Amino acid sequence: MSITEPEIFGLLAASDRDVFLAGLAEDGPVRRGRYVDGTPIWLVTGYDESVAVLTDPRFSSDVTKQSKLDVASAAGLPADVAPYLMRTLGVYDPPDHTRLRRLVSREFTARRVESLRPRIQEITDELLDGLPGEFDLIERFAYPLPIQVICELLGVPARDRDTWRTWAADLTAPDPGRIASGARGLVAYMAELVGAKRASGADDLLSALVGVQEDDGDRLADEELIALSISMLIAGHETTVALISQSVRLLLTRPDLAARLRADPDAVPAAVEEFLRVTGPAEIAVMRYTLQPVELGGVSIPAGEPVQVVYAAANRDPRRFERPALLDATRADNAHLGFGHGIHYCLGAALARAETQIALHGLLTRFPDLALAVPPSEIGWRPGMARALNALPVRTTPLRQH
């Protein structure tokens, strides 16, 4: 089976995803492929091999350490703002990554996320209160919930959120002009917001990050704060929007599972983990690059080669997961890679989990008759780097039979 990297991005919209993922692994856990611009790369689809790439220091996340792949240009980002959108925590190697992660982790803690649960519940209840009988679940619920949470967490004023949302949407537009406009708008806005927080802070995460300082005087520079804030804003809503909507889609096509979770809310967290494994929004990892020759999965990869971990395939590796194509909401051994692995494990994983758990529990409790408003075959996928639905039309009362 011939698989190329452009087809991996096409996987996000593939109708027969199970067949596609099985085909990826036919030639073994490591194989050749191509990036969207035609550049040859290495595809890693095996679970153990993926974990190796994500933890072995011989694989770098820093694109500046190689020259075969121009990721910023392929994404359509203009050179003047590309560093702010490309230099996220995910693309730093130690010791720079260690320094930045340490500074950010001092304020973006599990305790801070846990303290947000009551507020997440309030926002969820407010959104559910205003839903009509038939609606797009993404537009009316799955999108506004994480947007409001991450903006409140960071300290983005409510009056600016619609403008920010437009810029974020522009980043995934097919028009290079819109991509450039969105990127420049976001960078300029976050630069101004960081300056405002430095001049007069508040009780929010961005103000805390502005003020964080190590005993040795180390602190985050404005350029680092801008890049980190943009990545948290984007990642903090995109992943959760996709996870909530895809989880609801799965539940509405499996009434028995929805009924079981409705009867046993304590089972929701384990179900969310299985949704992350089976249909997690992150299909691929940040590109890695070999710093020296590496033997991986029986293949010799030379130094300076781009290596793409395919989470979606690794999460269905039969060598790691029993009956991997089966959605098992009670799966006990579920060390999926839905949020990555190793030092680059998603910083916002706890927040995404909390939001999704609260959202699903709220929907199941408030709307026991929630159903798809269209046949499952009519629900389409949005092209892009993350697996996401275009829309999810639902209704809260059965349609009359004619």
Side-chain angles (χ1 to χ4, degrees), residues 183-398:
R184 292 190 174 106
L186 270 175
V187 170
Y189 175 81
M190 291 309 304
E192 183 177 344
L193 187 60
V194 166
K197 300 294 185 183
R198 198 175 290 286
S200 179
D203 185 20
D204 55 61
L205 179 59
L206 185 52
S207 296
L209 291 175
V210 166
V212 72
Q213 184 169 318
E214 294 284 81
D215 294 337
D216 60 4
D218 188 19
R219 62 190 306 165
L220 293 163
D222 279 2
E223 293 79 7
E224 294 169 335
L225 279 165
I226 293 167
L228 287 169
S229 299
I230 291 174
S231 66
M232 281 191 283
L233 269 173
I234 295 174
H237 84 275
E238 280 191 343
T239 298
T240 312
V241 171
L243 180 56
I244 292 172
S245 55
Q246 288 162 213
S247 299
V248 173
R249 180 188 69 87
L250 285 171
L251 288 173
L252 296 186
T253 56
R254 292 167 174 80
D256 56 330
L257 176 56
R260 184 155 60 81
L261 296 183
R262 191 175 290 113
D264 181 12
D266 290 340
V268 170
V272 170
E273 296 308 305
E274 182 69 344
F275 297 154
L276 279 161
R277 185 190 71 83
V278 172
T279 184
E283 298 272 284
I284 57 175
V286 171
M287 192 76 73
R288 264 61 174 187
Y289 312 94
T290 48
L291 299 178
Q292 62 189 70
V294 179
E295 293 285 331
L296 183 70
V299 174
S300 298
I301 304 177
E305 291 285 304
V307 178
Q308 179 73 81
V309 168
V310 185
Y311 289 143
N315 280 336
R316 296 189 176 207
D317 187 343
R319 299 175 304 163
R320 176 60 184 83
F321 298 101
E322 184 178 355
R323 302 177 69 188
L326 175 68
L327 173 65
D328 180 3
T330 63
R331 190 180 294 271
D333 181 15
N334 198 358
H336 62 76
L337 303 179
F339 287 120
H341 188 80
I343 64 171
H344 292 295
Y345 185 79
C346 178
L347 191 67
L351 181 59
R353 284 186 167 106
E355 290 176 274
T356 305
Q357 292 166 10
I358 292 170
L360 294 184
H361 181 260
L363 283 165
L364 289 168
T365 302
R366 295 278 293 273
F367 300 110
D369 58 354
L370 189 69
L372 292 175
V374 298
S377 59
E378 293 184 15
I379 299 173
W381 298 94
R382 193 178 68 199
M385 296 269 306
R387 181 170 173 80
L389 295 168
N390 283 321
L392 188 61
V394 297
R395 52 183 170 83
T396 58
T397 55

Side-chain angles (χ1 to χ4, degrees), residues 26-45:
E26 279 185 1
D27 293 339
V30 181
R31 52 160 303 148
R32 288 300 258 168
R34 292 189 179 274
Y35 194 59
V36 289
D37 64 355
T39 303
I41 64 171
W42 294 92
L43 303 180
V44 181
T45 59

Side-chain angles (χ1 to χ4, degrees), residues 48-276:
D48 290 342
E49 292 76 15
S50 295
V51 169
V53 173
L54 299 173
T55 55
D56 191 326
R58 294 176 297 174
F59 294 91
S60 170
S61 297
D62 190 346
V63 69
T64 65
K65 294 182 179 178
Q66 62 82 50
S67 59
K68 291 186 177 182
L69 204 59
D70 189 347
V71 178
S73 294
L77 295 173
D80 57 323
V81 293
Y84 292 100
L85 287 110
M86 300 299 298
R87 300 300 293 173
T88 65
L89 272 174
V91 298
Y92 281 96
D93 291 339
D96 292 332
H97 176 272
T98 307
R99 168 186 167 269
L100 289 172
R101 183 99 182 193
R102 183 185 68 242
L103 288 168
V104 173
S105 296
R106 286 192 58 179
E107 295 298 336
F108 194 12
T109 61
R111 179 178 297 178
R112 182 185 285 269
V113 171
E114 194 61 27
S115 70
L116 286 173
R117 277 188 173 266
R119 180 57 183 149
I120 296 171
Q121 186 67 62
E122 286 180 5
I123 297 170
T124 297
D125 290 339
E126 291 167 3
L127 291 169
L128 294 178
D129 285 341
L131 293 177
E134 188 167 326
F135 56 95
D136 177 2
L137 185 130
I138 295 176
E139 184 64 25
R140 295 296 299 268
F141 181 67
Y143 193 96
L145 171 59
I147 279 286
Q148 189 166 343
V149 171
I150 195 64
C151 284
E152 288 187 9
L153 174 64
L154 279 173
V156 174
R159 65 179 181 274
D160 297 336
R161 290 172 195 169
D162 285 344
T163 303
W164 174 82
R165 177 180 178 178
T166 300
W167 286 327
D170 285 343
L171 292 180
T172 59
D175 177 14
R178 281 187 61 191
I179 294 174
S181 175
R184 292 190 174 106
L186 270 175
V187 170
Y189 175 81
M190 291 309 304
E192 183 177 344
L193 187 60
V194 166
K197 300 294 185 183
R198 198 175 290 286
S200 179
D203 185 20
D204 55 61
L205 179 59
L206 185 52
S207 296
L209 291 175
V210 166
V212 72
Q213 184 169 318
E214 294 284 81
D215 294 337
D216 60 4
D218 188 19
R219 62 190 306 165
L220 293 163
D222 279 2
E223 293 79 7
E224 294 169 335
L225 279 165
I226 293 167
L228 287 169
S229 299
I230 291 174
S231 66
M232 281 191 283
L233 269 173
I234 295 174
H237 84 275
E238 280 191 343
T239 298
T240 312
V241 171
L243 180 56
I244 292 172
S245 55
Q246 288 162 213
S247 299
V248 173
R249 180 188 69 87
L250 285 171
L251 288 173
L252 296 186
T253 56
R254 292 167 174 80
D256 56 330
L257 176 56
R260 184 155 60 81
L261 296 183
R262 191 175 290 113
D264 181 12
D266 290 340
V268 170
V272 170
E273 296 308 305
E274 182 69 344
F275 297 154
L276 279 161

